[in-house]
C-alpha cells in the first residue's frame, strides 16, 4: 500500500490487499483532504467521508487534473527497486524497504551533499536498532 500527499510526504503502508487501504485512509487522512482514487469498488466507501477525485482508468487516464499518477509512480519505483536493486525482499522487511523508497521519493530533488548530511545526521542521532543490531551475526 502506498499513499502520497501532493507536495507532501509519501506514507507507505504494507498490507495484504488494496481493500485494507480504506481503513488506513480513515485513520490517517484528514476529512478536509481530497482523495484521488481509481475505479476499484473498495474505494466507493470513501465517498461517505471525503471529497474524492475519481478516475475510471477503463475510460480515461487523467480527467481534468484528476489522476492517481503520484501513487502509481511511487509504486513503480518501489517495485523496480525491489526487483532490480535488491532482487527481491523478505515480506518481514518489506515495510522497511517501502520506508526507504518513500524517503528516496521525498528527497529525489535534493542535492547529494545535502542528502549525505541528512543521512549522517540521522545516523548519529538514531538509537541502536533492535531489528538490525547484529543481523550479520545470526545463524543462516
Amino acid at each position: 500500500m502506498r499513499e502520497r500527499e501532493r507536495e507532501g510526504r509519501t506514507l507507505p503502508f504494507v498490507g495484504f490487499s488494496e481493500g485494507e487501504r480504506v481503513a488506513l485512509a480513515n485513520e490517517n487522512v484528514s476529512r478536509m483532504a481530497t482523495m484521488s482514487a481509481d475505479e476499484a469498488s473498495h474505494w466507493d466507501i470513501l465517498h461517505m467521508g471525503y471529497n474524492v477525485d475519481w478516475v475510471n482508468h477503463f475510460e480515461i487516464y487523467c480527467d481534468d487534473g484528476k489522476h492517481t499518477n503520484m501513487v502509481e509512480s511511487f509504486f513503480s519505483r518501489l517495485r523496480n527497486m525491489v526487483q532490480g536493486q535488491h532482487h527481491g525482499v523478505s515480506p518481514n522487511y518489506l515495510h522497511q524497504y517501502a520506508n526507504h523508497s518513500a524517503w528516496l521519493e521525498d528527497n529525489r530533488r535534493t542535492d547529494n551533499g545535502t542528502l549525505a548530511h541528512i543521512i549522517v545526521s540521522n545516523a548519529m542521532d538514531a538509537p541502536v536498532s533492535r531489528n538490525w543490531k547484529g543481523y550479520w551475526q545470526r545463524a543462516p
Side-chain angles (χ1 to χ4, degrees), residues 4-109:
R4 289 286 313 268
E5 289 182 81
R6 291 185 188 207
E7 301 180 30
R9 290 185 53 220
T10 304
L11 305 170
F13 296 94
V14 176
F16 290 104
S17 71
E18 278 195 28
E20 291 178 19
R21 288 193 276 177
V22 174
L24 287 168
N26 285 326
E27 294 171 14
N28 295 286
V29 178
S30 167
R31 296 290 178 177
M32 302 301 293
T34 298
M35 304 280 281
S36 296
D38 60 17
E39 69 281 349
S41 61
H42 53 263
W43 295 123
D44 292 346
I45 198 166
L46 291 177
H47 290 282
M48 288 189 273
Y50 295 95
N51 180 26
V52 180
D53 286 344
W54 187 73
V55 179
N56 185 344
H57 290 302
F58 291 114
E59 296 174 6
I60 194 165
Y61 186 70
C62 178
D63 184 17
D64 202 23
K66 301 173 189 173
H67 59 81
T68 58
N69 295 356
M70 292 172 52
V71 70
E72 296 298 339
S73 69
F74 168 71
F75 188 62
S76 176
R77 282 194 269 276
L78 173 61
R79 187 175 40 237
N80 289 340
M81 182 181 81
V82 167
Q83 293 172 347
Q85 182 178 350
H86 300 293
H87 306 293
V89 298
S90 166
N92 296 337
Y93 300 107
L94 181 57
H95 67 284
Q96 292 171 330
Y97 287 96
N99 284 329
H100 174 236
S101 184
W103 187 85
L104 292 172
E105 180 81 6
D106 292 345
N107 292 283
R108 69 188 184 280
R109 291 185 171 84

